[in-house]
Amino acid sequence: MTETTNATGAAGTRGRTTIADGVVEKIAGLAARDVVGVHAMGSGTSRAFGAMRERVPGGSGAKSVSRGVKAEVGEVQTALDLEIVVDYGVSISDVARDVRENVVAAVERMTGLQVVEVNIAVSDVKLPDEEDESAPEPRIQ
């Protein structure tokens, strides 16, 4: 008996896998938040709107994971833009370096995509005596 196959290569390499931008954004967002010195992700406005959206019944908390992250995903590569808020007193250059390292490692390990760049914009610094904008006062008690 002769065995023929129409496909070549190992079974695991047959077919195509696509990864959505949102998947990469979530991975990068979680990896960035793990870095000491990162207070929050996104601008103050986006954090405030996100906090209000999460309080609405049926609101999605999933978007908060990727807040402040934008990914462009190709077939084998991805590029990321992150917007972060740092804690007062930390070295911004050290935090940015640590965020890049953590994000690149997590995204490449989980997706197999090559991360070609991670651009970081520091939009604010969280002062020790500052109120946290991500938790606005409820309008109704």
Side-chain angles (χ1 to χ4, degrees), residues 19 67 75-76 85 89 103-105 115 122:
I19 300 172
R67 185 181 308 130
E75 289 185 30
V76 295
V85 176
V103 166
V104 168
V115 178
V122 179

Side-chain angles (χ1 to χ4, degrees), residues 95-125:
V95 170
R97 182 198 64 233
D98 293 346
V99 166
R100 276 190 188 90
E101 289 174 357
N102 215 33
V103 166
V104 168
V107 170
E108 288 185 347
R109 179 179 51 82
M110 293 183 70
T111 67
L113 294 168
Q114 177 192 16
V115 178
V116 294
E117 66 182 12
V118 178
N119 299 310
I120 298 173
V122 179
S123 62
D124 201 359
V125 62

